[in-house]
Amino acid sequence: MSPSRIRFALCCFAVSMTLSPLCAAHDVIPPDWCVQDQHEPKIVARFDMDGKELKGFLAKCGIVEKDKWRGATKGAIEYCKLAAPKDNAVPFVLGPDSYLSDHHHTVYELDDGINGACAVCVPRTQRGSKAATSGR
């Protein structure tokens, strides 16, 4: 998937988050995240862990949850904190389907793994000025 398509998907996801009571109830991403004028999401890291990698990461972080979906979610949040500690990055989980399912608390298993991206909300002018100074 191209970077512009991912940015577009993140923007759409951020807007849909404000309208989704399910997402707000789970508190994965604040409902008002990155909806300010002249701001846009920027991907700062990606994650793609199979079941073994995910279980190892959760163990290293001391994350133990009966609800496997909540455990994986806490793992994604922690991964993004480690990937961009000063930027307050938030996770956008893109798969697997069992994680995204309406019945995720009952069908998702850690063996399914997890993949997605960590994003931060930056002013549009900030991205332009960095590109200008780097010669891109």
Side-chain angles (χ1 to χ4, degrees):
M1 187 180 264
S2 72
S4 61
R5 290 187 120 192
I6 291 172
R7 264 195 303 276
F8 178 75
L10 287 176
C11 286
C12 291
F13 187 74
V15 170
S16 70
M17 292 291 295
T18 64
L19 303 175
S20 172
L22 175 65
C23 294
H26 280 83
D27 293 325
V28 176
I29 300 167
D32 61 347
W33 185 81
C34 209
V35 295
Q36 307 97 315
D37 284 340
Q38 301 302 311
H39 282 72
E40 64 184 356
K42 175 185 173 193
I43 295 172
V44 293
R46 297 178 194 275
F47 52 92
D48 188 3
M49 295 181 243
D50 64 21
K52 184 177 179 181
E53 292 168 322
L54 177 58
K55 289 176 183 177
F57 182 76
L58 296 178
K60 286 180 188 175
C61 294
I63 298 171
V64 179
E65 284 283 338
K66 273 186 171 182
D67 182 321
K68 306 305 183 204
W69 184 89
R70 288 189 197 283
T73 300
K74 287 182 179 181
I77 292 168
E78 189 61 29
Y79 182 88
C80 290
K81 284 182 184 177
L82 294 170
K86 295 180 183 177
D87 294 329
N88 296 318
V90 296
F92 286 85
V93 179
L94 304 174
D97 290 341
S98 59
Y99 182 94
L100 302 173
S101 164
D102 288 342
H103 306 286
H104 53 260
H105 291 286
T106 55
V107 299
Y108 177 75
E109 294 292 333
L110 294 177
D111 287 330
D112 297 343
I114 194 167
N115 65 76
C118 303
V120 296
C121 185
V122 296
R124 286 190 180 129
T125 55
Q126 178 180 342
R127 290 194 61 190
S129 64
K130 283 185 178 180
T133 58
S134 67
R136 292 184 188 178

